[in-house]
Amino acid sequence: MAKHRIAIISDTHGLIRDEVREVLKTCEIIFHGGDINTQKIVDELGEIAPLHVVRGNNDKEWAEHIPMTVTENVAGFKFFMCHKMSDIKKIGIPNDTDFVIYGHSHKYETYEENDICYINPGSPGPRRFHQPVTMAVLTVDETDKSYLVEKIDMSPVLLKESAKGTISPKDLDKVVTLIIKDMNSGKSVGDTAKRNRVDEELVDSIYRMYSTHQGIDISGIIDRLELRNVYTK
């Protein structure tokens, strides 16, 4: 087979979402850029597909057997992986490397420099502030040496056309909390909707509820607007 799908993830921090599992099952190989959290996660990923993993700065004593860097050849391409870009700059990149994989920042990015493709898949683990929940799928063609990097964004989305059961109750709490935080910092309904990937109508309803019901908390807003009945799974 000429084409191969390679899963690239990082910074799972103990959480493998169901959506992530489904993507991983479509891939032949998994690269994990560190900050795994537990051996249990390593074992689970290894059961899905052959796994290459490096140790992150938050992987402590339990991960002493996991290397800080990994160099692998896959389908005629050379991969180099390390958790932090700052460490990569200190260590140096092996000759003839085609792909450099890293993580740490939780921010998705991919770019080309000096014939090397750099990939930071972001984090599909616990959501941090407004940062999206992401991973990457790299498709390589060993025949013509081409490749395609696909960003997989699994961030919570609350839109009118969304079906019931869009996100988990925990993620719903986080989204409403972030909306209130934006309101308190003076952001407009439109800006808040865009930042959190939700409908402006929903943001407006939350803004109104929060401003007209003194002392109401996140749970109270969710209950009064009956959001769990619509969005949670």
Side-chain angles (χ1 to χ4, degrees):
M1 185 171 62
K3 292 187 177 182
H4 305 270
R5 281 173 59 87
I6 300 169
I8 302 176
I9 61 175
S10 186
D11 298 271
T12 47
H13 291 279
L15 174 62
I16 302 296
R17 300 168 184 264
D18 290 339
E19 301 95 320
V20 174
R21 290 188 180 90
E22 292 306 309
V23 176
L24 295 177
K25 289 176 183 177
T26 69
C27 298
E28 300 173 45
I29 296 172
I30 301 171
F31 280 90
H32 193 305
D35 274 3
I36 310 147
N37 188 255
T38 65
Q39 182 62 42
K40 181 179 178 181
I41 296 294
V42 175
D43 294 341
E44 178 180 351
L45 295 177
E47 291 177 359
I48 296 174
L51 173 67
H52 303 296
V53 61
V54 292
R55 183 176 180 178
N57 60 291
N58 286 304
D59 298 320
K60 303 302 182 181
E61 289 79 7
W62 72 269
E64 289 181 351
H65 63 290
I66 295 177
M68 299 297 291
T69 66
V70 162
T71 302
E72 288 289 338
N73 289 292
V74 177
F77 293 87
K78 187 172 182 177
F79 291 76
F80 177 68
M81 182 167 62
C82 183
H83 181 61
K84 297 170 69 174
M85 175 55 76
S86 58
D87 290 336
I88 292 174
K89 292 178 179 178
K90 294 176 184 176
I91 297 168
I93 300 171
N95 292 334
D96 302 321
T97 294
D98 297 298
F99 297 98
V100 170
I101 298 170
Y102 59 103
H104 185 60
S105 69
H106 292 213
K107 296 180 181 179
Y108 182 96
E109 68 175 351
T110 179
Y111 63 93
E112 294 183 7
E113 186 175 275
N114 298 324
D115 296 323
I116 298 174
C117 177
Y118 292 80
I119 304 172
N120 182 338
S123 168
R127 196 179 191 196
R128 177 191 288 180
F129 309 116
H130 290 282
Q131 292 182 3
V133 177
T134 62
M135 61 176 290
V137 171
L138 170 67
T139 301
V140 298
D141 190 321
E142 59 184 324
T143 300
D144 62 12
K145 298 302 178 183
S146 63
Y147 66 87
L148 174 67
V149 184
E150 178 185 4
K151 179 181 181 180
I152 309 295
D153 192 332
M154 293 162 283
S155 306
V157 180
L158 301 180
L159 301 173
K160 292 177 183 177
E161 63 269 23
S162 298
K164 177 177 172 58
T166 302
I167 64 174
S168 69
K170 185 176 181 180
D171 277 336
L172 178 62
D173 289 348
K174 289 181 180 179
V175 169
V176 175
T177 298
L178 290 170
I179 290 172
I180 296 302
K181 182 178 179 181
D182 279 355
M183 176 183 175
N184 287 333
S185 65
K187 289 184 172 57
S188 69
V189 169
D191 286 345
T192 297
K194 185 176 181 179
R195 280 164 59 85
N196 292 283
R197 304 179 74 218
V198 303
D199 273 320
E200 289 191 14
E201 182 179 338
L202 174 61
V203 175
D204 184 63
S205 296
I206 293 173
Y207 272 30
R208 290 175 182 274
M209 180 67 67
Y210 187 70
S211 60
T212 58
H213 292 70
Q214 186 174 4
I216 194 170
D217 59 10
I218 300 303
S219 180
I221 292 173
I222 291 173
D223 289 343
R224 284 179 175 270
L225 295 177
E226 299 183 348
L227 301 182
R228 297 196 196 282
N229 294 334
V230 178
Y231 295 114
T232 60
K233 57 187 175 183

